[in-house]
Structures are given as C-alpha cells and as structure tokens.
C-alpha cells in the first residue's frame, strides 16, 4: 500500500492521526507527518483515516500482490 497526502490541501484537522496513529502524526499544531508505505497490517486504519479526511487530502494506492500463475499438472 502506498499513501500520498496533498499537504497543500491538508488543513490539519488530524482525523487521520486519531484513526491511524501508526501511519499519521501531527508535528506541532499544523504539520502532518506520515508514512508513505505503511505496513499492510495498518490497511483498515489507513483506509478509515483517508475516508475520514474532511478535505479528502489522502490518497491510498492499494498495490496489488500478483501471484505466480498456477501451472496445470500433466495428465
């Protein structure tokens, strides 16, 4: 998963920091710090945080894990 925050759009409401503190945190009263590649175990928290952003400044790109194709067994 990859996270991008449009910091020019972010207004510092800190809903993301409240909902996903391991991925987002406030530095001072207005500066947002975030992990652009949070661990997959934080997926639900990060998605909730992105949905809760009042200005929709958080973009979450859910990178697909591609599995190797399964080979047919010879008959």
């Amino acid at each position: 998963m990859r996270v991008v925050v449009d910091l020019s759009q972010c207004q510092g409401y800190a809903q993301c920091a409240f909902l996903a503190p391991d991925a987002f945190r406030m530095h001072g009263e207005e500066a947002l710090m975030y992990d652009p590649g949070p661990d997959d175990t934080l997926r639900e928290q990060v998605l909730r945080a992105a949905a809760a952003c009042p200005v929709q400044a958080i973009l979450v790109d859910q990178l697909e894990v591609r599995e190797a194709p399964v080979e047919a067994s010879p008959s």
Side-chain angles (χ1 to χ4, degrees):
M1 159 173 49
R2 183 175 48 204
V3 176
V4 176
V5 178
D6 183 345
L7 296 175
S8 66
Q9 191 174 355
C10 177
Q11 298 294 308
Y13 289 105
Q15 292 300 310
C16 57
F18 175 73
L19 292 168
D22 292 329
F24 304 94
R25 70 179 185 280
M26 297 302 292
H27 183 68
E29 292 185 23
E30 296 182 9
L32 176 68
M33 306 285 287
Y34 69 97
D35 181 356
D39 189 79
D40 204 45
T41 60
L42 301 175
R43 177 180 304 279
E44 288 300 317
Q45 290 179 357
V46 170
L47 292 174
R48 285 188 188 128
C53 180
V55 296
Q56 299 299 294
I58 304 169
L59 173 66
V60 179
D61 184 13
Q62 299 183 42
L63 303 174
E64 293 181 27
V65 176
R66 297 184 187 256
E67 296 181 19
V70 178
E71 293 183 28
S73 59
S75 312

